[in-house]
Amino acid sequence: MKRTFDQADVNDLQQKVLALPYVERLVIIDFVMSDLVGFMLNYFELRLSQIQYLNTMSLALKTELSIGIAESWNNDLAVDFQKESSSVDEEEDTPKDIILSRYNSSSTPPVANSLLPTGYFSIRIVYRNTAYR
């Protein structure tokens, strides 16, 4: 059964993926790396506007998302996923920003007293308030 693309169901899927034996988890990681859109379509019930967004997403963004998710899961870490609810009708293609954050000790100098583990990856989806434009 496919999940809703919301914070609760994304976190539930991640817990199930991380609980898998490593060899089985690698199959899903490879799927994310080779076909992010296919992965999303396979695991989530998406609205037409979400499918259209995935299909028009830049290769750079797809690559960054794929790598961040794969590296996190490969390091036994859940991606910090936060998705706000749209303040307007959910069927409408609401403008949104996708904010990505990554901490990788091999490429980023350590932050003093940082509690972020190596491989930490965060995805935050924030809907723009179009009422004030």
Side-chain angles (χ1 to χ4, degrees), residues 7-68:
Q7 192 161 339
D9 281 353
V10 168
N11 290 337
D12 179 65
L13 174 65
Q14 289 194 91
Q15 293 310 312
K16 290 192 177 0
V17 169
L18 292 173
L20 291 171
Y22 187 69
V23 173
E24 292 177 34
R25 187 182 332 152
L26 274 179
V27 172
I28 296 174
I29 290 170
D30 288 342
F31 189 14
V32 168
M33 287 296 296
S34 64
D35 185 6
L36 179 66
V37 174
F39 170 81
M40 293 293 295
L41 293 172
N42 189 62
Y43 285 93
F44 295 101
E45 189 66 45
L46 301 172
R47 293 185 316 274
L48 180 58
S49 63
Q50 291 172 315
I51 295 167
Q52 290 170 335
Y53 186 84
L54 283 171
N55 287 326
T56 59
M57 189 183 294
S58 73
L59 180 58
L61 181 55
K62 285 181 194 175
T63 300
E64 190 167 353
L65 285 166
S66 297
I67 291 171

Side-chain angles (χ1 to χ4, degrees), residues 87-88 92-97 126-133:
S87 59
V88 296
E92 187 177 327
D93 187 18
T94 309
K96 65 186 124 327
D97 294 309
V126 181
Y127 290 92
R128 297 182 203 152
N129 187 347
T130 57
Y132 295 107
R133 291 184 175 214

Side-chain angles (χ1 to χ4, degrees), residues 64 68 79-80 99-103 116 119-124:
E64 190 167 353
V79 172
D80 177 26
I99 303 164
L100 306 178
S101 302
R102 179 181 303 201
Y103 173 72
L116 299 177
Y120 170 85
F121 185 66
S122 173
I123 302 169
R124 184 168 178 217

Side-chain angles (χ1 to χ4, degrees), residues 70-132:
E71 285 181 351
S72 292
W73 291 354
N74 193 47
N75 289 314
D76 292 322
L77 296 170
V79 172
D80 177 26
F81 179 81
Q82 299 172 36
K83 180 177 183 269
E84 294 181 355
S85 293
S86 171
S87 59
V88 296
D89 180 20
E90 287 291 335
E91 294 303 314
E92 187 177 327
D93 187 18
T94 309
K96 65 186 124 327
D97 294 309
I98 298 177
I99 303 164
L100 306 178
S101 302
R102 179 181 303 201
Y103 173 72
N104 183 338
S105 64
S106 65
S107 63
T108 306
V111 177
N113 299 321
S114 175
L115 299 176
L116 299 177
T118 300
Y120 170 85
F121 185 66
S122 173
I123 302 169
R124 184 168 178 217
I125 300 174
V126 181
Y127 290 92
R128 297 182 203 152
N129 187 347
T130 57
Y132 295 107

